[in-house]
Amino acid sequence: MPAVSVIGLQWGDEGKGKIVDLLAGNADYVVRYHGGNNAGHTVVVGTKKFFFHLIPSGIFHKNTTAVIANGVILDPEVLVAEMDTLIKEGINLSKKLIISPRCHLILPYHKKLDAAYENARGKKKLGTTKVGIGPTYSDKVSYNGIRVYDLIDWKDFCSKFEFQAKIKNKILKTFGVPPVNISKSLLRLKKLRTRILPYIKDCFEVLNDAVRRKKKILFEGAHGIMLDLDWSPYPYTTASNTIVGGINTGSGLPFKSLDSVIGVVKAFTSRVGEGPLPTEITGRLAVALRERGGEYGTTTGRPRRMGWLDLEALRFSCKINNVSEIVITKLDILSGLIDIKVCTAYMLGGRKINYAGCGYRELARVKPVYRSFPGWIEDISEIRTYSKLPKECRNYLEFIAKFLDVKIKFASVGAERNANVKMK
Ligand code: IMP
């Protein structure tokens, strides 16, 4: 495992946290390279459960350094709160956390703007997490961003913050939203700044040097491929590149240094927020799956929308990321279903259409072509050997692997670290 990436191949919430946690035990560095605290992962350490949004979950492992690389956008409040949780657990962060000076900051006006735009969209809302993601990335590309780098020179930071906040307050006024209190915000940011400064370090040299020394690096993808800014049905996306290409821009690691991409696929589909979901299921079945799978957002607590496995979308995900191995998660949740469906193609106006050929209007109208599989009734959560899985379950897995032309590394059948079924 020299440099490996773990990415979610669906709409996020595939259960990447557990897979990263499993692999991070071997890693020297665990790296976040895009997104912000719109992501959420649950880490189970011993009997304790932790919810993290920003700091890479691998930080709990003894010899692992957590890197927040340049593509990440940082809310100083969230960062310091997560740092405090770790410090309380006795983790010495000075040796374990690196933050790129190139990261852009999520500032109070970004959060207000995110919520203001969402509220103004009314019925056409996108369902963002309202933590300021879109407005922060848009400031980044319009040269209005403020970076971790700017925290180093406090006077300069204050003048940039004031300039931006005054403009943003004018925009907030047009939405009828109370302005950001500039002096109060600066007082708070000054305190947070002193906590962050010790961890600022250029990540480019750290990671490239790690490659040279044959250290093990794990890239922790956030969200899912179906939320990529460029490759999902815009505007029902997140604001970063979730595809594996984001590793190069978001961390500075040369593309060739990445050895493998492990895709994480939930055995069915879920999505939070608005936007088309071709294989969506509603009614009692959706409620049952949601309850059994605990399908509620880690960041917002929103109930997730549910659907059948969408192999047409997944075929795209595997191709664009050059995925050769996948992990199937939450396979145990499907036990007890009489009939399990997978979508193998989309039809629109009587013709086949590919995922990549669809904008959001097409994706909302496509008719999935389903293939049905007989389900299994057995509880499989205690099974650890492939041959002991019910035949119907093996058929399901084999069909997925063949259709996507990938190897299934293992299937997860529970939240615990060891609740995995090794493939043959
Ligand atoms: P934003 O990233 O908060 O701007 O939200 C844009 C869309 O991405 C919304 O539909 C969110 O629900 C979705 N989203 C963002 N991050 C995640 C994630 O980690 N899991 C699932 N959905 C996400």
Side-chain angles (χ1 to χ4, degrees):
M1 175 194 155
V4 172
S5 135
V6 173
I7 48 174
L9 296 186
Q10 294 155 299
W11 280 265
D13 312 313
E14 295 90 353
K16 297 176 289 293
K18 171 178 159 175
I19 312 308
V20 168
D21 179 56
L22 269 175
L23 298 174
N26 279 327
D28 299 297
Y29 295 91
V30 183
V31 186
R32 275 268 326 250
Y33 54 93
H34 72 101
N37 56 298
N38 47 347
H41 40 244
T42 310
V43 189
V44 182
V45 182
T47 53
K48 288 189 187 165
K49 236 185 193 181
F50 298 92
F51 298 102
F52 277 81
H53 300 280
L54 203 50
I55 296 182
S57 40
I59 196 160
F60 280 102
H61 291 279
K62 207 166 134 228
N63 300 315
T64 305
T65 301
V67 179
I68 301 182
N70 58 283
V72 174
I73 53 175
L74 270 185
D75 183 334
E77 288 284 359
V78 177
L79 175 67
V80 170
E82 291 190 1
M83 281 164 53
D84 284 341
T85 305
L86 292 164
I87 291 166
K88 253 196 221 152
E89 290 304 308
I91 293 176
N92 180 357
L93 287 182
S94 64
K95 296 209 172 91
K96 289 184 75 68
L97 180 63
I98 296 175
I99 301 168
S100 165
R102 294 172 190 270
C103 293
H104 279 248
L105 293 169
I106 302 180
L107 294 164
Y109 46 76
H110 292 128
K111 293 181 256 190
K112 281 191 168 232
L113 281 171
D114 195 358
Y117 272 108
E118 268 297 86
N119 295 336
R121 286 182 190 114
K123 279 191 182 152
K124 291 194 171 167
K125 69 176 185 195
L126 303 174
T128 75
T129 55
K130 296 188 182 170
V131 296
I133 303 300
T136 305
Y137 275 118
S138 69
D139 267 1
K140 174 177 174 175
V141 296
S142 61
Y143 322 123
N144 289 308
I146 302 182
R147 302 193 298 174
V148 165
Y149 175 78
D150 295 305
L151 289 172
I152 296 167
D153 183 334
W154 182 241
K155 239 173 116 184
D156 199 32
F157 180 92
C158 291
S159 96
K160 282 187 175 166
F161 182 86
E162 247 183 74
F163 176 74
Q164 290 298 332
K166 278 183 183 160
I167 295 168
K168 266 58 175 196
N169 279 346
K170 284 186 189 158
I171 305 173
L172 289 171
K173 199 173 169 189
T174 66
F175 282 117
V177 172
V180 164
N181 183 320
I182 297 179
S183 51
K184 252 193 185 167
S185 298
L186 280 173
L187 263 179
R188 178 72 188 141
L189 284 162
K190 193 174 184 189
K191 275 197 185 144
L192 296 169
R193 165 187 182 259
T194 57
R195 301 286 314 279
I196 297 170
L197 288 180
Y199 303 98
I200 304 177
K201 189 171 179 183
D202 174 50
C203 301
F204 180 80
E205 287 302 338
V206 171
L207 293 180
N208 280 276
D209 188 50
V211 170
R212 195 181 51 75
R213 290 185 294 131
K214 303 220 175 331
K215 294 285 177 192
K216 293 171 182 141
I217 311 174
L218 180 63
F219 288 91
E220 182 175 327
H223 328 302
I225 298 312
M226 267 47 246
L227 293 169
D228 183 273
L229 178 61
D230 288 81
W231 289 100
S232 48
Y234 187 90
Y236 298 101
T237 72
T238 188
S240 64
N241 281 117
T242 59
I243 58 167
V244 89
I247 292 178
N248 183 218
T249 55
S251 78
L253 190 93
F255 192 64
K256 272 195 167 171
S257 300
L258 190 67
D259 296 284
S260 74
V261 181
I262 300 170
V264 184
V265 175
K266 186 148 63 181
F268 46 95
T269 294
S270 74
R271 169 168 205 167
V272 273
E274 307 303 314
L277 189 61
T279 62
E280 184 157 17
I281 42 183
T282 50
R284 277 168 50 195
L285 180 57
V287 173
L289 271 181
R290 184 180 304 122
E291 293 310 314
R292 288 183 65 183
E295 297 289 344
Y296 291 87
T298 320
T299 304
T300 57
R302 291 178 289 179
R304 294 177 186 147
R305 296 157 65 192
M306 310 303 299
W308 295 116
L309 192 67
D310 185 341
L311 291 180
E312 169 54 35
L314 277 167
R315 180 162 43 192
F316 166 81
S317 284
C318 288
K319 261 194 198 160
I320 197 162
N321 295 298
N322 200 20
V323 168
S324 51
E325 266 187 325
I326 62 169
V327 172
I328 304 268
T329 59
K330 293 201 162 180
L331 187 62
D332 54 309
I333 303 302
L334 294 181
S335 284
L337 295 181
I338 297 167
D339 191 39
I340 299 175
K341 288 184 186 166
V342 294
C343 162
T344 55
Y346 296 159
M347 298 295 286
L348 186 67
R351 296 170 68 177
K352 266 194 181 173
I353 183 165
N354 292 336
Y355 169 84
C358 295
Y360 72 90
R361 284 188 293 272
E362 288 76 23
L363 209 55
R365 286 175 24 236
V366 294
K367 298 264 171 290
V369 176
Y370 284 114
R371 169 149 180 172
S372 286
F373 289 83
W376 58 92
I377 47 164
E378 297 91 329
D379 173 8
I380 58 169
S381 59
E382 301 294 327
I383 296 179
R384 302 290 178 263
T385 317
Y386 183 72
S387 58
K388 298 211 167 120
L389 284 173
K391 185 166 87 346
E392 295 80 2
C393 182
R394 282 183 276 136
N395 286 344
Y396 185 60
L397 294 176
E398 275 161 29
F399 182 81
I400 295 169
K402 199 163 169 208
F403 188 95
L404 297 175
D405 191 21
V406 293
K407 192 178 152 222
I408 299 180
K409 201 174 163 68
F410 61 88
S412 161
V413 290
E416 308 75 35
R417 263 188 192 161
N418 71 341
N420 307 308
V421 180
K422 275 239 172 95
M423 295 297 118
K424 331 167 253 187

